[in-house]
Amino acid sequence: MWNLSRFVASRPIRSRRCFTTMIPRPCIIHKRGDAILHDPWINKETGFPLTERNRLGLRGLLPPRVISFEQQYVRFMESYRSLEKNTQKETDTSAVALAKWRILNRLHDRNETLYYRVLIDNIKDFAPIIYTPTVGLVCQNYSGLFRRPRGMYFSAKDKGEMMSMVYNWPAERVDMIVLTDGSRILGLGDLGVHGIGIPIGKLDMYVAAAGLNPQRILPVMLDVDTNNLKLIDNPLYLGLRQPRLEGEEYLSIIDEFIEAVLTRWPKAIIQFEDFQMKWAFETLKRYRRRFCMFNDDVQGTAGVALAGLLGTVRAQGRSLDHFPNQKIVVVGAGSAGLGVLSMAVQAVTKMTGKAETAAQNFFLLDKDGLITKERKNLDPAAVPFAKAPGQIGELREGDSLLEVVRKVKPDVLLGLSGVGGVFNEEVEIPIFLYITVIYNLLLVIRVEFIITAYILHCVEFMRESGSSRPAIFAMSNPTMNAECTAAEAFKYAGENIVFASGSPFENVKFGKGKEGHVNQANNMYLFPGIGLGALLSGASFVTDGMLQAAAERLASYMTEEEIQKGILYPSIDCIRDITAEVGAAVVRAAVAEELAGGYLEVGPKHLANMSEEETVKYVRRNMWFPNYSPLVQHK
């Protein structure tokens, strides 16, 4: 299963772009004149050549000079760099981030082809703006930022109407749908209809990383009300103002939506995103064997974390066979934390063949401390990871993170709690001075003084880890919810640790030319490949085997030299290459499980006969790349 050598040895030289260079095919449109200029899917702004201006009724509606695609690109980038320069001294980083988001969003609103070209070529700079962490700010301020609708909105008031509503979407074909109900947006909680920013950002990453055609994607907000009183009281709030639906009433809305979209687009893949834990697990259980879907918070996060955990074993100089022996403390018993543990247990079971002991070295904590089987009202989803009293030695139900780390001495401390700074919690250790006084040779008096108090941070106890190279994964998003910063981790746990976070941090300088590498353990390395692989294989379902194959491929992507430097994940500049490799692994897994139905003219037999190299080439051939297509009006 975990044979890395065949992947690492065969990894192609990374290029900045991995995309098809075919001449764009003509695009048949049903619009003319001014209507074209207001459609961002086909608008070229001043890039329309004179022949198109004549035949499409655009002459006189644009300035006379034709500006090439490349010139438009340069013009936008100059504008963006000017904004960066003018805001360098601005202390309000949130305002700067939103200003950058606005300039990109305005381009997105008027010219999608240029927008995605800019995004793909500058993904390292722009991913933090259109995705984590700025997308959290956008969701928090969405009502004030709203200018133009993007995606579709279905609400509880639309019950009974969704089957007809889906035909309001202008695209005849949809390949990928990202759906949220806004109930648990990142670590920010219930943001209601403001959560639409998440599907939009995720699908932007699908286009940039996986090469999905932007005319075949659909962000969806399922507004089943909100329990956020601040939103309900906000006069600008754009969603329904009443308490969230629950129980069967809630599920009936989702059922109707699923039936509607799959009636019109039966081959669409649906990614569930940022549902609160109970509904994340319930919908995954309810739908995963009915159509092609997955939950990115549960399964995508788990795959990225597993890839990092396997990389950590390699960074310790050990073979992957040692993974079952790794002691891992997971802080956060929500959908993401439980998903990570579930996938880690599956990996251990596959390695050892012993499911009954697969979770013995994993420890789970929530806001009430260590979770054991003595916990009252224990969440059913956490039961497989709750420790029995006889398994934990000196530990007890509800023990603090500090106590668990001190006594377990874990190889890995992994956070998905959504609680900023929880790893950096301080504990005061008193230092005593004892003085013994002998009085008249008979009476002995022992006097105790507290002379100082030594402050320790929780992550400092990772120095006592049994690992030669302990790892700290602070994976909660956005940045303010990270369990600790990179600087804190290296300062208190030592320079030899491996560090990963969900949101980006700068590498930490140690002096004398040394630095600690910061890995971004973000789902963007995996979910685009999972979705693309499922699409191009024509998979009936997304299975655990396909997810394991994706995580394994990501884990094997890094060379030994990179791993020994503490680099677990590749640079985002290589995101298309990574996605092609991960997507190909998913295709191969779907074929192996006999779930591949084929894609367009490529049937399941053709897929089965492809070599690994041919599968990667097949995936890359089907990646869309933005160029202006000739427009032809349908008559």
Side-chain angles (χ1 to χ4, degrees), residues 37-290:
L37 301 180
H38 290 90
D39 186 341
W41 281 355
I42 55 178
N43 184 23
K44 303 179 186 179
E45 301 180 281
T46 54
F48 287 99
L50 293 179
T51 52
E52 282 189 341
R53 297 187 187 200
N54 286 332
R55 71 171 180 265
L56 297 175
L58 295 172
R59 197 140 192 170
L61 301 182
L62 292 164
R65 184 185 172 194
V66 177
I67 305 296
S68 71
F69 190 33
E70 289 71 21
Q71 289 171 319
Q72 290 178 327
Y73 178 103
V74 170
R75 180 183 179 184
F76 175 81
M77 290 306 301
E78 286 179 350
S79 177
Y80 183 84
R81 298 303 179 202
S82 176
L83 172 65
E84 282 190 317
K85 182 179 179 180
N86 293 336
T87 56
Q88 280 180 341
K89 296 182 180 180
E90 176 62 57
T91 57
D92 187 346
T93 56
S94 295
V96 173
L98 288 176
K100 292 178 179 179
W101 178 85
R102 285 190 186 95
I103 192 172
L104 282 167
N105 191 58
R106 287 196 293 269
L107 178 61
H108 196 180
D109 282 346
R110 67 179 188 267
N111 186 336
E112 289 206 347
T113 306
L114 182 57
Y115 170 77
Y116 286 115
R117 181 62 172 269
V118 163
L119 185 57
I120 291 168
D121 284 359
N122 302 275
I123 189 64
K124 190 171 184 177
D125 290 336
F126 291 156
I129 304 301
I130 57 99
Y131 188 54
T132 303
T134 304
V135 69
L137 283 171
V138 172
C139 289
Q140 288 177 304
N141 297 277
Y142 188 74
S143 288
L145 294 171
F146 180 85
R147 295 294 181 273
R148 174 182 177 274
R150 191 178 305 283
M152 291 196 75
Y153 299 78
F154 295 82
S155 76
K157 291 186 176 181
D158 297 318
K159 188 171 176 58
E161 301 293 333
M162 296 184 193
M163 190 66 74
S164 59
M165 287 172 62
V166 293
Y167 289 92
N168 292 337
W169 188 248
E172 291 299 320
R173 174 177 160 188
V174 168
D175 291 334
M176 178 64 64
I177 296 169
V178 176
L179 166 71
T180 189
D181 70 348
S183 59
R184 190 204 62 82
I185 298 300
L186 300 173
L188 303 172
D190 181 355
L191 294 185
V193 79
H194 287 187
I196 186 64
I198 295 296
I200 293 170
K202 291 280 183 176
L203 285 166
D204 277 349
M205 289 304 299
Y206 264 114
V207 177
L212 292 191
N213 189 321
Q215 295 190 30
R216 299 173 187 166
I217 60 175
L218 176 57
V220 173
M221 178 68 224
L222 197 63
D223 185 2
V224 285
D225 311 319
T226 180
N227 293 331
N228 188 328
L229 295 180
K230 288 184 178 179
L231 293 180
I232 292 175
D233 293 338
N234 182 356
L236 296 179
Y237 180 59
L238 299 172
L240 298 181
R241 299 163 175 265
Q242 53 198 39
R244 280 189 172 272
L245 298 181
E246 294 291 345
E248 289 301 318
E249 191 175 12
Y250 172 91
L251 289 172
S252 68
I253 297 294
I254 299 185
D255 283 344
E256 182 178 341
F257 166 78
I258 295 296
E259 183 180 2
V261 294
L262 293 181
T263 296
R264 186 176 183 195
W265 303 296
K267 295 186 178 181
I269 297 161
I270 303 179
Q271 176 176 317
F272 282 62
E273 195 69 42
D274 284 358
F275 284 67
Q276 60 180 301
M277 186 177 79
K278 65 178 180 179
W279 294 126
F281 284 108
E282 175 64 28
T283 53
L284 186 59
K285 179 181 177 182
R286 188 181 187 91
Y287 299 125
R288 69 177 308 188
R289 289 291 176 180
R290 289 169 57 181

Side-chain angles (χ1 to χ4, degrees), residues 549-577:
E552 176 186 354
R553 185 63 194 97
L554 179 58
S556 66
Y557 192 84
M558 308 308 297
T559 65
E560 283 301 323
E561 181 182 359
E562 291 166 325
I563 288 291
Q564 293 311 312
K565 292 179 181 178
I567 304 174
L568 306 182
Y569 301 98
S571 169
I572 191 175
D573 285 331
C574 308
I575 193 70
R576 281 212 160 193
D577 185 53

Side-chain angles (χ1 to χ4, degrees), residues 444-463:
V444 179
I445 302 174
R446 186 176 176 86
V447 183
E448 177 182 292
F449 298 92
I450 300 178
I451 62 170
T452 187
Y454 183 52
I455 305 298
L456 285 176
H457 296 77
C458 182
V459 291
E460 284 188 76
F461 289 100
M462 287 298 288
R463 290 178 180 266

